[in-house]
Amino acid sequence: MKKSLVELLEARQKAVDELSEVKLKKSAVEVKLKAATIEDDVLEQLKTEAENLATQATSLKETIAGLDSDIEETEEELSKAAHVIKSKQKGKSTMDYLKTKAAALDFVRILMDNEGSSNAARKAWEANLVEKGVTGLDKILPEPVLIAIEDAFVNYDGILNHVTKDPRYSVRVALQSQVSAAKGQKAGKTKKDEEFSFTDFTINSATVYIKYAFEYADLKKDTTGAYFDYVMKELAQGFIRAVERAIVIGDGKAPNADDKITEIKSIAEETLSELFDTQEIDLKAASLTQTALETLVAGIDKMAATATPILITSKAIARKLKTAKDPEGRYLDPQPFAPIATTGNIISGFRVYVYDWMDDATNPIIAVADKAYKLVGDDVAADKFEDYDVTVNRRHIELASVMGGRLGQYKSAVKFTSAAG
C-alpha cells in the first residue's frame, strides 16, 4: 500500500534524525581512534565500530534519497489531483449536484440500500456520481453531509480557538527557564559564557474518536435528511466537547480505562512546575467583593507568557465574578446582569469561557495564555468512517482523529484552588 505524503515526510524526518545520531557516534569513535595507540586493546573494536557506523550512515543516506524521490512523486500526483478537482469545479454543472440536499438524501439512501457491505455502498455512491456527471471524484461526500460535520468545527467559539495547532504527530518541546543577561567586563578579565537551563519533553498523539449507530428504520423514515444532518452535527459537537474537556481538566475517565484519551494532557492535571503556577482564591460567598477580583488578577499576573489570558470556569462562578462589588457596593463589571454565554464572555476585561463540566471541577477557575497550549496531529476536525452491521440492521458512523496536546510555554497557565475553610 502506497504511503501518504504525511507518512513519507515523517519517515524522512525519522531517517534524518537517525543519520544525525549515527554521525555523532561516528565522530566520537573517530576521536577515540586518534587518541588510541597500536598497543590499545580496543583499537580493533573501535575500527569495527567506525566501519559499522559508516555503513549505517550510507544506508540511511540511500533511504533518505529514496524517500525524497517518493515525496516528489507523491507531491506531483497530489498536484495533478488538485488540478483535476479544480477543473471539475469550473464546470459548475457537475459539481452543483454535490451541493444539493438531494445529494445528501441519495447518500443516505445508498447507505441503507447497501446493507451489510461498506464496499458495495462505496461502489454504489461512485456509480451515482458518474450518473450525475461527477467523474473522478468518487471519494467526495455530498456537501450537505460535509457541512453538517464541518460547521461544528469551523463556526465555533471555544477553547479550541485558543490553542496552537501543529500538524506533526510527535513534537519535542524545550523550555528555557532562565533569562539571559549581558555582563560587564573589566580590563584583562576573561569573558564568561551565558548559561541556560532547559526542560524538554515530547508531546505524542493517539486516536480520539466518537461513533454513533443509526437504526435502519430511523434512516428509512428520514425522508428529508434532517435526522442524519442533526446526528452528524451532534457527533462533531461531541468530539469537540471531549477534546476541550481533555485539554482543561481531563476526560474524566479512570487512568486505566480502555477509552481514556491518553495523549491530550490536561492543564488541571499538569505536574511539570515549569509550565504552570497556582493561586488560592475564595469563591464560596454568595456575592464577591473587589478582593476576589484582586486575587484573580494576582494569580493571572503569575503567568510568564505575555499573551492574552483565557479563563475557564463554571457559569455560577462566572456570574459571581460579573456581579462582584467594590467597597462602596458598586458593581465592578459594566454589565453585571448581562447573560452568561458558553462562548467567550468579557468579565472585568477578561475573556471567560463557561463549561458545565467545570461545575464540580477541582479547580474552580483555570487560566491559560492564548495559544500556549500546543495541540499536535490532525487539525481540529475529524475523518469520517462508516460501516453496516447486517445482523442488527444498524449503520455505524464514526469521527476520528489522531491528536495529542500539552502546555508548551513556560509558566503559561494558572490553576486556581479553593481557599481553605
Side-chain angles (χ1 to χ4, degrees):
M1 184 177 178
K2 190 171 181 180
K3 291 183 177 180
S4 67
L5 180 59
V6 171
E7 291 172 327
L8 289 171
L9 291 171
E10 288 177 345
R12 187 187 188 283
Q13 185 59 52
K14 182 180 179 182
V16 169
D17 292 340
E18 289 178 0
L19 180 59
S20 298
E21 291 181 10
V22 168
K23 286 181 177 179
L24 287 173
K25 291 178 181 178
K26 186 171 178 288
S27 298
V29 170
E30 288 172 347
V31 170
K32 291 179 182 178
L33 276 171
K34 289 179 181 178
T37 64
I38 299 299
E39 291 75 22
D40 284 337
D41 295 335
V42 296
L43 182 59
E44 194 61 35
Q45 181 182 346
L46 288 172
K47 287 182 178 178
T48 301
E49 189 176 345
E51 290 170 356
N52 289 339
L53 289 169
T55 301
Q56 288 182 42
T58 300
S59 176
L60 286 167
K61 288 177 182 177
E62 291 174 353
T63 299
I64 292 170
L67 288 168
D68 284 339
S69 177
D70 291 343
I71 290 169
E72 184 178 353
E73 180 182 342
T74 303
E75 287 177 336
E76 185 176 346
E77 290 175 357
L78 289 172
S79 178
K80 289 179 180 178
H83 179 72
V84 170
I85 292 173
K86 187 175 181 180
S87 65
K88 293 293 180 184
Q89 288 174 327
K90 287 181 180 178
K92 290 184 180 179
S93 60
T94 60
M95 293 299 294
D96 281 350
Y97 168 71
L98 289 171
K99 298 178 181 179
T100 64
K101 197 67 178 180
L105 293 174
D106 287 344
F107 180 74
V108 176
R109 174 183 54 77
I110 286 170
L111 290 182
M112 294 188 297
D113 292 345
N114 291 275
E115 52 188 280
S117 175
S118 296
N119 188 46
R122 181 188 62 78
K123 289 181 178 178
W125 177 243
E126 180 179 351
N128 178 65
L129 290 176
V130 172
E131 180 183 339
K132 301 297 183 181
V134 184
T135 58
L137 302 170
D138 54 284
K139 293 184 180 180
I140 286 186
L141 290 172
E143 192 165 302
V145 176
L146 286 174
I147 289 174
I149 300 171
E150 291 175 356
D151 273 358
F153 293 105
V154 177
N155 301 328
Y156 179 75
D157 183 14
I159 298 305
L160 287 183
N161 293 44
H162 300 281
V163 302
T164 299
K165 303 176 183 71
D166 192 317
R168 293 173 293 177
Y169 290 97
S170 181
V171 175
R172 190 172 181 178
V173 177
L175 300 177
Q176 179 189 330
S177 55
Q178 178 181 339
V179 179
S180 59
K183 301 176 178 64
Q185 185 194 21
K186 292 183 179 180
K189 296 294 182 179
T190 302
K191 295 177 181 177
K192 300 176 183 177
D193 289 332
E194 189 63 47
E195 295 181 359
F196 294 97
S197 176
F198 290 97
T199 301
D200 65 273
F201 55 87
T202 300
I203 303 176
N204 293 311
S205 57
T207 299
V208 180
Y209 75 93
I210 186 169
K211 66 189 291 291
Y212 182 79
F214 288 90
E215 294 296 337
Y216 179 79
D218 290 336
L219 282 175
K220 206 74 173 177
K221 297 172 187 174
D222 186 27
T223 57
T224 65
Y227 175 61
F228 185 81
D229 183 72
Y230 171 77
V231 175
M232 286 293 96
K233 290 179 180 178
E234 281 298 301
L235 282 183
Q237 286 286 354
F239 187 94
I240 289 172
R241 285 192 291 265
V243 171
E244 288 193 315
R245 174 171 177 153
I247 287 172
V248 182
I249 63 171
D251 66 355
K253 298 179 178 64
N256 59 347
D258 292 339
D259 52 358
K260 183 172 182 59
I261 299 175
T262 57
E263 296 301 334
I264 298 180
K265 311 298 183 183
S266 75
I267 299 170
E269 298 167 320
E270 183 58 65
T271 57
L272 187 60
S273 60
E274 287 85 352
L275 291 172
F276 70 95
D277 215 317
T278 59
Q279 174 70 42
E280 191 177 82
I281 189 167
D282 188 356
L283 300 167
K284 295 186 294 295
S287 59
L288 302 179
T289 66
Q290 184 173 325
T291 302
L293 288 183
E294 290 173 351
T295 303
L296 181 71
V297 171
I300 292 172
D301 283 347
K302 291 182 178 180
M303 285 186 192
T306 57
T308 303
I310 307 298
L311 275 58
I312 306 108
T313 188
S314 65
K315 179 175 284 189
I317 290 176
R319 176 59 70 191
K320 285 185 179 183
L321 294 174
K322 200 166 180 63
T323 55
K325 298 178 181 179
D326 65 16
E328 283 73 42
R330 295 170 297 195
Y331 292 109
L332 294 166
D333 190 272
Q335 293 182 302
F337 300 112
I340 302 292
T342 54
T343 55
N345 301 273
I346 302 298
I347 299 177
S348 295
F350 295 111
R351 181 169 291 277
V352 180
Y353 286 93
V354 168
Y355 293 94
D356 55 5
W357 37 257
M358 286 295 290
D359 290 347
D360 301 315
T362 302
N363 301 100
I365 302 173
I366 287 178
V368 60
D370 191 26
K371 305 298 183 182
Y373 191 96
K374 183 181 285 291
L375 201 63
V376 305
D378 294 338
D379 198 358
V380 186
D383 296 322
K384 174 182 169 294
F385 303 94
E386 50 88 11
D387 195 11
Y388 193 88
D389 187 347
V390 68
T391 60
V392 290
N393 273 354
R394 188 174 293 149
R395 173 69 63 181
H396 299 274
I397 304 289
E398 175 184 335
L399 303 181
S401 290
V402 176
M403 306 171 73
R406 191 175 183 182
L407 286 171
Q409 295 181 24
Y410 178 72
K411 296 291 184 184
S412 56
V414 175
K415 296 191 280 188
F416 287 86
T417 59
S418 298

